[in-house]
Amino acid sequence: GDRAIVSLLEEFGAETKAILNQITVTNKEMKGIRIDASQIPDLVPVLCVAGAAAEGKTVISLFFPFTEIVKESNRKCTEFPSSEWLHGRIEGQACLTAFMNRLKQWFEENGVNACVPSNDPRFHQVIENGVYGSNWSERHVAYLCGLGTFGLSKGIITEKGMAGRFMSIIISQEIEPDQRPYTGIYDYCTKCGACIKRCPAEAISYEKGKEHAPCDAWNKKIGAMNTPRFGCGLCQVKVPCESRNPVRK
């Protein structure tokens, strides 16, 4: 699947250049294409970012850390999440959705076309035959935009940690991109294992990282107990990467 990405990016119109074990991709007037991704579901988030680049000019990724009150409340928990975390996860997301819609409106009022993928009616999630995905991944976009790298729990570790939410917006105006300060997918993860011990569903391991199925089952259990709220987040707090990049001294 990973090898297929190169030919697909070239089909988009991108220029690819392989040097040793790294591949550099340059946008050369990329155009949208139709892709059958049934055999390469893991590549869908990256392909969606490529599709956005084909039509838009810039993808902006934003990280919104949870407040100290929300994080502190969840640090005290060992099995079920705090009420503050659940409200931050659901009502907090509603606040971010409204903020992103207002940001989109601001761009359009200033003559720049914009799209907030997670708020767009074309956005959809897929949970089928053991595959968990969507046609737009905020985490993968954050990684590509230079905000941070993945951890064992499959969250993104930023310079402000991983306890928070990500949103993104695509705009038609070209902006000079930030340089990614990393090269590896897990550069900011020390593999300390703290998130493994914090996970009440035992869904995280050194060998597999986070497994979606047991995590999803646990979230559904929490959702049934706290409708309409759901979520957990214990692996994001009381760990070295909660509020900082643990590889920075």
Side-chain angles (χ1 to χ4, degrees):
D2 291 344
R3 294 181 179 178
I5 190 66
V6 176
S7 60
L8 287 170
L9 288 173
E10 290 175 346
E11 191 175 346
F12 268 113
E15 179 181 291
T16 64
K17 185 176 182 180
I19 302 177
L20 298 178
N21 63 341
Q22 293 187 340
I23 296 176
T24 301
V25 180
T26 305
N27 185 341
K28 294 290 185 180
E29 298 298 325
M30 291 167 61
K31 304 295 182 182
I33 62 174
R34 290 185 178 275
I35 299 172
D36 178 3
S38 59
Q39 302 302 313
I40 48 172
D42 290 347
L43 296 183
V44 169
V46 177
L47 292 172
C48 288
V49 174
E55 301 297 333
K57 295 294 184 181
T58 301
V59 178
I60 302 172
S61 180
L62 304 169
F63 178 58
F64 300 86
F66 281 124
T67 65
E68 181 59 28
I69 291 175
V70 171
K71 290 186 289 187
E72 182 181 13
S73 69
N74 222 29
R75 286 187 210 121
K76 301 174 183 178
C77 301
T78 57
E79 185 175 11
F80 299 110
S82 68
S83 175
E84 291 90 341
W85 185 274
L86 291 174
H87 280 77
R89 173 69 176 79
I90 305 305
E91 279 81 356
Q93 186 64 36
C95 178
L96 293 182
T97 295
F99 171 81
M100 295 303 292
N101 284 337
R102 180 65 187 93
L103 182 60
K104 175 178 181 292
Q105 181 182 350
W106 180 86
F107 274 116
E108 292 173 342
E109 288 172 350
N110 286 275
V112 178
N113 292 331
C115 173
V116 179
S118 61
N119 296 353
D120 192 273
R122 292 167 292 183
F123 172 78
H124 66 271
Q125 296 177 309
V126 177
I127 302 177
E128 185 177 342
N129 298 324
V131 175
Y132 291 74
S134 64
N135 61 349
W136 185 266
S137 169
E138 298 292 355
R139 293 176 301 119
H140 287 81
V141 169
Y143 171 81
L144 292 170
C145 287
L147 284 187
T149 75
F150 287 87
L152 271 178
S153 64
K154 294 189 177 177
I156 292 290
I157 303 171
T158 74
E159 294 296 336
K160 296 295 184 180
M162 69 155 51
R165 305 292 295 168
F166 291 93
M167 297 293 284
S168 58
I169 186 169
I170 306 167
I171 62 173
S172 60
Q173 181 174 323
E174 189 167 353
I175 298 176
E176 184 70 22
D178 294 329
Q179 294 298 312
R180 285 194 293 272
Y182 45 78
T183 57
I185 296 175
Y186 299 104
D187 281 3
Y188 291 174
C189 181
T190 63
K191 305 292 178 69
C192 68
C195 59
I196 297 176
K197 299 174 183 177
R198 286 285 291 163
C199 179
E202 298 182 349
I204 308 172
S205 67
Y206 286 113
E207 296 76 20
K208 298 181 180 179
K210 186 183 79 172
E211 297 182 77
H212 287 298
C215 180
D216 182 55
W218 186 256
N219 276 310
K220 287 179 178 176
K221 179 179 180 179
I222 294 172
M225 297 168 57
N226 298 276
T227 303
R229 297 172 190 87
F230 63 92
C232 178
L234 266 66
C235 65
Q236 296 182 31
V237 295
K238 208 174 181 179
V239 293
C241 57
E242 173 192 307
S243 301
R244 65 182 181 89
N245 177 353
V247 304
R248 303 282 189 224
K249 295 183 180 181

